[in-house]
mmCIF file of all heavy atoms in Angstrom:
data_model
loop_
_atom_site.group_PDB
_atom_site.id
_atom_site.type_symbol
_atom_site.label_atom_id
_atom_site.label_comp_id
_atom_site.label_asym_id
_atom_site.label_seq_id
_atom_site.Cartn_x
_atom_site.Cartn_y
_atom_site.Cartn_z
ATOM 1 N N ARG A 60 -37.823 -8.582 66.542
ATOM 2 C CA ARG A 60 -39.103 -9.106 66.086
ATOM 3 C C ARG A 60 -39.085 -10.626 66.247
ATOM 4 O O ARG A 60 -38.209 -11.296 65.698
ATOM 5 C CB ARG A 60 -39.370 -8.749 64.614
ATOM 6 C CG ARG A 60 -39.400 -7.253 64.339
ATOM 7 C CD ARG A 60 -40.589 -6.587 65.057
ATOM 8 N NE ARG A 60 -40.677 -5.175 64.799
ATOM 9 C CZ ARG A 60 -40.264 -4.228 65.641
ATOM 10 N NH1 ARG A 60 -39.728 -4.557 66.793
ATOM 11 N NH2 ARG A 60 -40.394 -2.951 65.341
ATOM 12 N N GLY A 61 -40.022 -11.138 67.037
ATOM 13 C CA GLY A 61 -40.071 -12.582 67.273
ATOM 14 C C GLY A 61 -38.806 -13.096 67.937
ATOM 15 O O GLY A 61 -38.378 -14.215 67.674
ATOM 16 N N GLY A 62 -38.190 -12.246 68.769
ATOM 17 C CA GLY A 62 -36.970 -12.639 69.466
ATOM 18 C C GLY A 62 -35.708 -12.550 68.630
ATOM 19 O O GLY A 62 -34.625 -12.884 69.090
ATOM 20 N N VAL A 63 -35.837 -12.075 67.393
ATOM 21 C CA VAL A 63 -34.683 -11.993 66.489
ATOM 22 C C VAL A 63 -34.391 -10.519 66.178
ATOM 23 O O VAL A 63 -35.285 -9.789 65.744
ATOM 24 C CB VAL A 63 -34.976 -12.755 65.174
ATOM 25 C CG1 VAL A 63 -33.809 -12.625 64.200
ATOM 26 C CG2 VAL A 63 -35.285 -14.205 65.459
ATOM 27 N N PRO A 64 -33.137 -10.091 66.378
ATOM 28 C CA PRO A 64 -32.793 -8.715 66.016
ATOM 29 C C PRO A 64 -32.854 -8.519 64.495
ATOM 30 O O PRO A 64 -32.342 -9.335 63.736
ATOM 31 C CB PRO A 64 -31.356 -8.552 66.506
ATOM 32 C CG PRO A 64 -31.128 -9.681 67.446
ATOM 33 C CD PRO A 64 -32.035 -10.783 67.023
ATOM 34 N N VAL A 65 -33.510 -7.446 64.087
ATOM 35 C CA VAL A 65 -33.580 -7.077 62.678
ATOM 36 C C VAL A 65 -32.886 -5.726 62.563
ATOM 37 O O VAL A 65 -33.276 -4.767 63.222
ATOM 38 C CB VAL A 65 -35.049 -6.985 62.202
ATOM 39 C CG1 VAL A 65 -35.106 -6.525 60.747
ATOM 40 C CG2 VAL A 65 -35.761 -8.311 62.388
ATOM 41 N N VAL A 66 -31.856 -5.661 61.731
ATOM 42 C CA VAL A 66 -31.064 -4.445 61.585
ATOM 43 C C VAL A 66 -31.353 -3.814 60.229
ATOM 44 O O VAL A 66 -31.292 -4.478 59.200
ATOM 45 C CB VAL A 66 -29.550 -4.755 61.708
ATOM 46 C CG1 VAL A 66 -28.727 -3.479 61.526
ATOM 47 C CG2 VAL A 66 -29.249 -5.422 63.041
ATOM 48 N N THR A 67 -31.666 -2.521 60.266
ATOM 49 C CA THR A 67 -31.903 -1.753 59.050
ATOM 50 C C THR A 67 -30.872 -0.639 58.994
ATOM 51 O O THR A 67 -30.707 0.103 59.967
ATOM 52 C CB THR A 67 -33.315 -1.130 59.066
ATOM 53 O OG1 THR A 67 -34.269 -2.153 59.295
ATOM 54 C CG2 THR A 67 -33.619 -0.429 57.764
ATOM 55 N N ASP A 68 -30.161 -0.533 57.889
ATOM 56 C CA ASP A 68 -29.198 0.554 57.727
ATOM 57 C C ASP A 68 -29.921 1.864 57.508
ATOM 58 O O ASP A 68 -31.002 1.910 56.943
ATOM 59 C CB ASP A 68 -28.256 0.282 56.553
ATOM 60 C CG ASP A 68 -27.285 -0.837 56.838
ATOM 61 O OD1 ASP A 68 -27.006 -1.088 58.029
ATOM 62 O OD2 ASP A 68 -26.810 -1.471 55.882
ATOM 63 N N GLY A 69 -29.281 2.939 57.969
ATOM 64 C CA GLY A 69 -29.822 4.268 57.733
ATOM 65 C C GLY A 69 -30.571 4.812 58.929
ATOM 66 O O GLY A 69 -30.680 4.161 59.960
ATOM 67 N N PRO A 70 -31.098 6.008 58.784
ATOM 68 C CA PRO A 70 -31.713 6.698 59.917
ATOM 69 C C PRO A 70 -33.033 6.066 60.350
ATOM 70 O O PRO A 70 -33.689 5.373 59.580
ATOM 71 C CB PRO A 70 -31.938 8.113 59.391
ATOM 72 C CG PRO A 70 -32.013 7.957 57.910
ATOM 73 C CD PRO A 70 -31.119 6.800 57.564
ATOM 74 N N TYR A 71 -33.395 6.347 61.580
ATOM 75 C CA TYR A 71 -34.659 5.878 62.151
ATOM 76 C C TYR A 71 -35.842 6.492 61.405
ATOM 77 O O TYR A 71 -36.816 5.831 61.120
ATOM 78 C CB TYR A 71 -34.707 6.244 63.633
ATOM 79 C CG TYR A 71 -35.978 5.829 64.322
ATOM 80 C CD1 TYR A 71 -36.245 4.481 64.561
ATOM 81 C CD2 TYR A 71 -36.911 6.767 64.723
ATOM 82 C CE1 TYR A 71 -37.409 4.086 65.185
ATOM 83 C CE2 TYR A 71 -38.083 6.379 65.352
ATOM 84 C CZ TYR A 71 -38.322 5.039 65.578
ATOM 85 O OH TYR A 71 -39.476 4.659 66.194
ATOM 86 N N LEU A 72 -35.752 7.757 61.116
ATOM 87 C CA LEU A 72 -36.805 8.474 60.397
ATOM 88 C C LEU A 72 -36.192 9.174 59.194
ATOM 89 O O LEU A 72 -35.078 9.674 59.265
ATOM 90 C CB LEU A 72 -37.426 9.558 61.283
ATOM 91 C CG LEU A 72 -38.156 9.121 62.532
ATOM 92 C CD1 LEU A 72 -38.554 10.342 63.357
ATOM 93 C CD2 LEU A 72 -39.405 8.335 62.170
ATOM 94 N N GLU A 73 -36.922 9.199 58.115
ATOM 95 C CA GLU A 73 -36.499 10.013 56.978
ATOM 96 C C GLU A 73 -36.902 11.447 57.291
ATOM 97 O O GLU A 73 -38.062 11.725 57.562
ATOM 98 C CB GLU A 73 -37.159 9.534 55.689
ATOM 99 C CG GLU A 73 -36.660 8.178 55.223
ATOM 100 C CD GLU A 73 -35.184 8.172 54.861
ATOM 101 O OE1 GLU A 73 -34.668 9.181 54.349
ATOM 102 O OE2 GLU A 73 -34.534 7.144 55.117
ATOM 103 N N SER A 74 -35.941 12.331 57.302
ATOM 104 C CA SER A 74 -36.200 13.706 57.696
ATOM 105 C C SER A 74 -35.110 14.590 57.125
ATOM 106 O O SER A 74 -33.994 14.136 56.884
ATOM 107 C CB SER A 74 -36.202 13.776 59.224
ATOM 108 O OG SER A 74 -36.162 15.082 59.676
ATOM 109 N N LYS A 75 -35.424 15.858 56.934
ATOM 110 C CA LYS A 75 -34.403 16.799 56.487
ATOM 111 C C LYS A 75 -33.419 17.093 57.608
ATOM 112 O O LYS A 75 -32.245 17.292 57.376
ATOM 113 C CB LYS A 75 -35.039 18.102 56.010
ATOM 114 C CG LYS A 75 -35.756 17.973 54.702
ATOM 115 C CD LYS A 75 -36.267 19.311 54.242
ATOM 116 C CE LYS A 75 -36.964 19.164 52.904
ATOM 117 N NZ LYS A 75 -37.417 20.423 52.375
ATOM 118 N N GLU A 76 -33.925 17.152 58.852
ATOM 119 C CA GLU A 76 -33.073 17.439 60.002
ATOM 120 C C GLU A 76 -32.692 16.145 60.713
ATOM 121 O O GLU A 76 -33.446 15.183 60.692
ATOM 122 C CB GLU A 76 -33.801 18.331 61.003
ATOM 123 C CG GLU A 76 -33.902 19.757 60.584
ATOM 124 C CD GLU A 76 -34.395 20.651 61.705
ATOM 125 O OE1 GLU A 76 -34.801 20.147 62.768
ATOM 126 O OE2 GLU A 76 -34.370 21.863 61.513
ATOM 127 N N PHE A 77 -31.522 16.164 61.333
ATOM 128 C CA PHE A 77 -31.113 15.023 62.136
ATOM 129 C C PHE A 77 -30.356 15.509 63.363
ATOM 130 O O PHE A 77 -29.843 16.628 63.379
ATOM 131 C CB PHE A 77 -30.282 14.032 61.320
ATOM 132 C CG PHE A 77 -28.970 14.589 60.822
ATOM 133 C CD1 PHE A 77 -27.815 14.492 61.583
ATOM 134 C CD2 PHE A 77 -28.883 15.193 59.575
ATOM 135 C CE1 PHE A 77 -26.607 15.001 61.129
ATOM 136 C CE2 PHE A 77 -27.675 15.699 59.113
ATOM 137 C CZ PHE A 77 -26.532 15.599 59.886
#
Side-chain angles (χ1 to χ4, degrees):
R60 300 295 181 259
V63 177
V65 177
V66 179
T67 306
D68 289 335
Y71 179 70
L72 296 173
E73 291 296 326
S74 167
K75 288 184 179 183
E76 285 191 352
F77 64 90

